[in-house]
């Protein structure tokens, strides 16, 4: 099964203003490593991961000083204005039939989930993604007032990695860019061109670090892993 190999693009050109740090959030420290390093090393635990392409801004002052910058499976890519631009601009560095895209600020992704997602490539799916069922009651709100309760039975929270056939995802991202369509994740790009995206239920621990509280929680969880 190890003959299956998949490149991963990690967009890491953002700033993450809601984290309220003086540096981009992917370079915040958790223990001795940055968030980005934890993320890349978590991806490399998966036996199906080929290369990890990290898309960084041309003004990035941090990546080259990290240990991962010289890792034989890590490629330094380029960053775009938006997350989708970073992914699109690095698609030409992908050499595998399928590609995954993973958020730089999701350092707690589990190898078991990566394996389950990767193996769907053997079924020749258009695309697939990690997701978590929504456990909370959802409310639609307008002008600060609840309008209605939204049924949650078929609602999932979109996580990453998200995987797609390389040629299809490249086509989808180019289509969205050419038509000035804003997309917030790669699955939505695939959906735009009529592709079927499957769900792989993953761990809720694989949350995106967005706020200072998220960073505190990640530190606790990562310290527990290393105990």
């Amino acid at each position: 099964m190890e003959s299956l190999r998949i490149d991963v693009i990690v967009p890491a050109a953002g700033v993450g203003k809601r984290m309220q740090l003086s540096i981009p959030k992917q370079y915040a420290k958790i223990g001795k490593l940055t968030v980005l390093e934890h993320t890349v090393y978590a991806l490399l635990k998966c036996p199906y991961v080929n290369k990890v392409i990290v898309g960084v801004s041309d003004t990035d002052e941090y990546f080259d000083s990290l240990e991962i910058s010289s890792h034989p499976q890590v490629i330094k890519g380029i960053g775009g204005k938006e997350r989708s631009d970073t992914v699109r601009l690095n698609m030409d560095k992908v050499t595998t039939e399928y590609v995954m895209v993973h958020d730089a600020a999701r350092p707690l992704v589990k190898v078991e989930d990566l394996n389950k997602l990767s193996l769907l490539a053997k079924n020749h799916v258009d695309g697939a993604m990690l997701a978590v069922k929504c456990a909370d009651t959802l409310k639609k709100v307008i002008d600060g007032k609840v309008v209605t309760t939204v049924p949650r039975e078929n609602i999932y929270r979109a996580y990453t990695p998200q995987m797609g056939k390389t040629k299809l995802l490249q086509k989808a991202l180019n289509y969205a860019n050419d038509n000035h369509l804003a997309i917030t994740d790669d699955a939505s790009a695939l959906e735009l061109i009529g592709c079927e995206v499957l769900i792989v239920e993953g761990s809720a621990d694989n949350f995106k670090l967005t706020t200072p509280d998220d960073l505190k929680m990640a530190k606790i969880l990562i310290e527990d892993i290393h105990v």
Side-chain angles (χ1 to χ4, degrees), residues 30 215-225:
I30 298 180
L215 186 59
K216 291 177 184 176
M217 180 60 69
K219 287 179 178 179
I220 293 170
L221 292 171
I222 286 175
E223 286 171 3
D224 285 345
I225 291 170

Side-chain angles (χ1 to χ4, degrees), residues 46-113:
C46 175
Y48 307 109
V49 167
N50 184 46
K51 299 288 186 180
V52 177
I53 303 158
V54 183
V56 298
S57 166
D58 57 5
T59 59
D60 187 289
E61 303 174 5
Y62 309 95
F63 181 79
D64 290 341
S65 66
L66 301 182
E67 184 180 271
I68 57 170
S69 67
S70 58
H71 193 287
Q73 285 179 265
V74 175
I75 297 172
K76 182 181 179 181
I78 55 179
K81 183 179 179 182
E82 303 293 340
R83 179 190 184 279
S84 58
D85 296 321
T86 299
V87 178
R88 177 174 53 82
L89 292 170
N90 287 288
M91 288 297 294
D92 61 353
K93 294 178 175 62
V94 176
T95 61
T96 53
E97 181 184 2
Y98 279 83
V99 61
M100 289 186 191
V101 182
H102 186 59
D103 294 329
R106 291 187 191 268
L108 288 157
V109 63
K110 296 184 182 300
V111 67
E112 297 87 352
D113 292 342

Side-chain angles (χ1 to χ4, degrees), residues 43-191:
L43 292 169
L44 290 173
K45 288 179 182 178
C46 175
Y48 307 109
V49 167
N50 184 46
K51 299 288 186 180
V52 177
I53 303 158
V54 183
V56 298
S57 166
D58 57 5
T59 59
D60 187 289
E61 303 174 5
Y62 309 95
F63 181 79
D64 290 341
S65 66
L66 301 182
E67 184 180 271
I68 57 170
S69 67
S70 58
H71 193 287
Q73 285 179 265
V74 175
I75 297 172
K76 182 181 179 181
I78 55 179
K81 183 179 179 182
E82 303 293 340
R83 179 190 184 279
S84 58
D85 296 321
T86 299
V87 178
R88 177 174 53 82
L89 292 170
N90 287 288
M91 288 297 294
D92 61 353
K93 294 178 175 62
V94 176
T95 61
T96 53
E97 181 184 2
Y98 279 83
V99 61
M100 289 186 191
V101 182
H102 186 59
D103 294 329
R106 291 187 191 268
L108 288 157
V109 63
K110 296 184 182 300
V111 67
E112 297 87 352
D113 292 342
L114 291 170
N115 290 344
K116 286 189 292 184
L117 183 65
S118 299
L119 287 171
L120 282 178
K122 286 185 171 290
N123 298 335
H124 307 292
V125 300
D126 292 343
M129 59 184 287
L130 291 185
V132 175
K133 280 187 177 180
C134 187
D136 300 311
T137 297
L138 301 175
K139 303 289 185 181
K140 182 177 181 180
V141 177
I142 297 178
D143 296 330
K145 298 178 182 179
V146 174
V147 176
T148 186
T149 299
V150 181
R152 68 184 181 197
E153 285 76 14
N154 298 312
I155 301 298
Y156 284 76
R157 295 161 61 193
Y159 277 23
T160 69
Q162 298 184 358
M163 181 181 74
K165 285 185 177 178
T166 302
K167 290 181 179 179
L168 287 178
L169 183 56
Q170 190 164 29
K171 177 182 177 181
L173 291 168
N174 287 335
Y175 175 83
N177 182 64
D178 293 344
N179 290 279
H180 309 289
L181 300 172
I183 56 171
T184 56
D185 71 351
D186 311 285
S188 61
L190 289 170
E191 293 160 25

